[in-house]
Amino acid sequence: MGVEKDFSFGKLHSEAFSCIQCGYCRRVCPVYRALGWESTSPRNKVYQLQNLLSTYPPLANLPEEFSQRFWQCTNCRRCTQVCPTHLDLMNLWQGVKHHLGKKGYEPASLRSTRERVKRNKNIFSLANENRSFWAMPLQGYPKVLKPENPDIAVFVGCVASFYPLVSGIPLALANVFLKAGVKAYFLGADEHCCGNPLTTAGDLATAEILAENNISKVRELGVDKLVFICPSCQSTWLEEYPRYNKGQLPFRLLHYTEYLADLVDQGGLDLKPYPRRVSYHDSCDLGRHLGIYEAPRRILRAIPELEFVELANHHQDSLCCGAGGNLYMVDQKLANKISQPRLDQIEESGIDTLVTACAECRQVFTLGLQDRKSPVRVLDIAELVAELIREG
Amino acid sequence: MSGTAGDTVSELMASLPPELKKVATDSHYERLAYTHDMSSLDGFLTSDWLKTLPDLVVLPRNVQQVAALLKWAAEHRVPVTPRGAGSTSLFQSVPAKGGVLLDLNCLNTIGPWNLERPSVQVGAGTIIYELQEEAKKRGLSLATFPSSAPVGTIGGWFNNGGRGYGSLQHGSLLNQVERLEVVLAGGEIVQCTHQSDPPIQWFFGSEGTLGVVTSLELKLEPKPTSEAHMAFGFSNIGELQRFLLKTIDGPFLPYNLTFVSATLGGQPIRRINWDAILPGTFLAVDFFGDADQVEQGVQRVRWLKLEHELHQLPKWQAEKFWADRFYNFRLQRTGPSLLGAETLMPLNKISSYVEGIGALATGSQKPMITFGYVTSRQEAYVTTMFWTDEARTVQYLLDLSLVNSIYRTAFKFGAKPLGIGLWNTPYLKYAYSASERRKIRERKERLDPSGIINPGKAHNPPVVLKPRLFGASMTALRIFRKILQRLGRVES
Ligand SMILES: Cc1cc2nc3c(=O)[nH]c(=O)nc-3n(C[C@H](O)[C@H](O)[C@H](O)COP(=O)(O)OP(=O)(O)OC[C@H]3O[C@@H](n4cnc5c(N)ncnc54)[C@H](O)[C@@H]3O)c2cc1C
Ligand code: SF4
Ligand code: SF4
């Protein structure tokens, strides 16, 4: 087995005891900021962990709140980013969840998601054969999704594949590729869940089975680029898959915005003007995790007459939409609460259009702004480009 | 950490007025979160003689709720410990006698602003860094801010004696506060000025023992349009002190001066982990202002540099060092744990103090690092730290005696402890003169006669921390440490 992450108590102990309890992580943690109780802060999670690791056996007799607090996390990485002692908190959270899961301290919603992923190979209660239903309006469906000698393979991800509100994203991207003459192979039913809901919950063993399928299916295509729609899937591939593959993957992992930005730079996309005031939301996974900040902006700047403005927090300081780390599944009310400061910033910025590059963010902001009866239009970059691209 | 029996806690919760019940909890897990601060001194060290576990935690959203709580607390004679971010390390904001932990973080409104006579009204729970960011958006700036700005609340910093970067030019936070809203024991809400009775200055540095600050009106400065950073390496601390004193001699003052001395037996300690790799003993000089002011400052320091034939470090190192101003605790990473002492040190004694620390470091075979920034023409905020391991109880206990030795070294040179809280109560007489101590006691008797607000701290320490007993235990630990060191049984 290639699953070799060190979640031993010794490792957790040495990491947890490197925390100086300075509290720098409190200011930036969206969960703490939304709830206000010290127990929800990353600092306190580490403190309680220190206590429970100091008992024998470690992590025995866990208070219910302990596991509750650990699952209330959007995986936004803000805590890791600001920690003065460079604690790898993401790894720590993952390690603790690994033990929590093993001991059965897991939210019911997450457990059923895990069961669904095992059964259906996706996070929904839907047959995996339906993964490409979003593509039905495409001319030439389904053949057009599987070109001979593809330039690239595309990994859509569960959310954009199945969730109606955001299934326009892969459709838009497929249209853009067709118009730009890119031979893009969409994996469809061969694509299994990337394993993100499992790996963030520390269940690496089940994730490995999914990963093996995905790696082999892409490898069979002989492409040198795998393009992602979902930044969380890409993060999971980047972070976890090399271990499953026992080495570097034989193809590059790219977000579709990087691919489109290169096309733009090479003059491969002819875009109509969009005379609106537009802003872009950096998602946690695409930004802080993958470090992709400029590609989406390069695309937007290439659109004639588009007035680009930054939101109050941007790049690495961007705010979380609230949906990451399975929180939308675990505690939707909290996720919605977390999204409020970002929704305020969007409304205060005076923009007409908010552009995202993550299906989950797109979904949260669409619903959140609808609730506020805001006139701001929310679009994924792929959708905006599809709307503006001229026939090649 | 010991606390009150479950029944009593629920009774206390039940007796809260309804508007407070909504913002209170008696959850044991939540209460545990407040039994400690940055110091690692909790658990076995405090469990038997302190009640660090609060009975209730209250998270008020407005001044009326704070007032209602203090009224209820007076009626029920329940201790109340105010707390901001808990980023202090002397148990200033950890309960010593249970009761209510008053978490003030939700009093975090910023505004209204007065842009003509630049000032702003802020809730006491506002994080200093966030206030500074909001000020910058309006072309303004805080005159001074602590190196803990990303965590500390403005109310906590004020109560902790608010010194920071920029204090050299602008004085302490006290100089920037124009009005203070305080809830007194019993629930009365008072608006204080520098002339009112009680005045603002009574509460400054009072460590949450006189009342609960709910909001402050702060004077602001125009945002500087220019900045420059310089840094110099020295072969010894005496040279550094001479240069430092020259730099502040005359009408012109830089915005900030920070010095670091990380040496053991004359060798620089390489593990200090600051990103800008710097020599063992160095001084950073920071200028902010308009272009002319900054240029003047830089020119003056350049002349001094020539006069003293100093080695100037590359610009990027000086800039990186300033960029890392909030990250002194990177030191921890070479840990596993840190112990140390913070004092206000006369500037002309820095060199003797650092040499004293050098001797202590050599004698105890512990690398120690001292750093500090200048807060006035007379004093610097000086921190000395060393590494230990809190998971190894005996070693850790023995290392605690070194903290006492650091303080004693500092006091020998006229330094004052920075903060009292619980752990520095044995050093009260070094912090305040006899007449200052009397005045502080009188204020406490007048404003909080029942001793409800943050009891068990400063002037009313637990027996274990009475100076005589404490001094004797520290001497015993020191001797024991020395013996074990000789036998090769303690690690450096
Ligand atoms: C990395 C680091 C660097 C630091 N650098 C500096 C520095 O440069 N300068 C400096 O002065 N300090 C410094 N400190 C110490 C401390 O962080 C600051 O003084 C800080 O601003 C305290 O704020 P807090 O909100 O954490 O206060 P807390 O620790 O929560 O409280 C401090 C004291 O104030 C009382 N208190 C808190 N809020 C209120 C209120 N609203 N009303 C009444 N009483 C209240 C508490 O009871 C306690 O006695 C540093 C600490 C760290 C961790
Ligand atoms: S920022 Fe890092 S060191 Fe500080 S409390 Fe949070 S986890 Fe601990
Ligand atoms: S990852 Fe984000 S939500 Fe999770 S603890 Fe860190 S800051 Fe909080």
Side-chain angles (χ1 to χ4, degrees), chain A residues 25 28-32 40-42 45 72-80 89-90 93 338:
Chain A
C25 48
V28 295
C29 174
V31 174
Y32 168 69
T40 63
S41 73
K45 291 199 286 191
Q72 284 173 326
C73 171
T74 67
N75 264 4
C76 71
R77 294 187 164 257
R78 291 276 271 157
C79 48
T80 296
L89 289 161
M90 304 319 296
W93 303 155
I338 289 173

Side-chain angles (χ1 to χ4, degrees), chain A residues 15 17-18 20-24 26-27 32-33 37-39 43-44 47-48 65-66 82 84-87, chain B residues 23 25 27 29-30 33-36 38 42 85-86 105 129-130 147 150-151 326-327 329-330 332-333 336:
Chain A
E15 207 54 30
F17 277 89
S18 295
I20 48 170
Q21 293 289 304
C22 66
Y24 277 36
R26 298 163 82 241
R27 182 179 69 84
Y32 168 69
R33 295 308 292 257
W37 296 104
E38 177 66 27
S39 68
R43 168 174 74 178
N44 182 63
Y47 173 72
Q48 308 273 6
E65 293 101 322
F66 178 81
V82 300
T85 65
H86 297 304
L87 241 86
Chain B
V23 292
T25 179
S27 142
Y29 189 78
E30 190 62 47
Y34 298 89
T35 53
H36 65 108
M38 259 197 81
D42 58 349
N105 283 278
Y129 183 88
E130 293 193 345
S147 59
V151 57
F326 300 130
Y327 287 92
F329 281 86
R330 292 234 169 99
Q332 160 76 13
R333 200 58 210 185

Side-chain angles (χ1 to χ4, degrees), chain B residues 202 255 266 304 412 454:
Chain B
W202 279 24
Y255 179 76
L304 284 174
K412 225 166 48 193
N454 211 352

Side-chain angles (χ1 to χ4, degrees), chain A residues 124-237:
Chain A
F124 299 100
S125 303
L126 297 163
N128 209 44
E129 287 65 46
N130 300 336
R131 254 195 198 266
S132 297
F133 269 18
W134 55 264
M136 282 168 78
L138 266 186
Q139 233 180 3
Y141 170 84
K143 242 180 102 184
V144 71
L145 295 175
K146 314 257 179 215
E148 297 274 316
N149 302 321
D151 301 321
I152 54 172
V154 183
F155 195 92
V156 176
C158 296
V159 175
S161 295
F162 290 105
Y163 203 80
L165 188 61
V166 286
S167 60
I169 300 172
L171 181 60
L173 190 63
N175 268 317
V176 171
F177 284 147
L178 283 173
K179 287 185 183 162
V182 177
K183 289 202 279 175
Y185 189 103
F186 286 77
L187 289 161
D190 285 343
E191 176 182 315
H192 291 179
C193 170
C194 68
N196 179 284
L198 307 173
T199 55
T200 50
D203 178 1
L204 303 190
T206 315
E208 182 175 17
I209 302 166
L210 301 167
E212 276 171 356
N213 166 76
N214 287 334
I215 295 169
S216 75
K217 288 295 188 270
V218 179
R219 199 199 295 269
E220 279 165 22
L221 296 174
V223 289
D224 63 357
K225 291 184 198 76
L226 175 61
V227 171
F228 290 86
I229 288 183
C230 170
S232 305
C233 297
Q234 187 176 344
S235 301
T236 307
W237 273 75

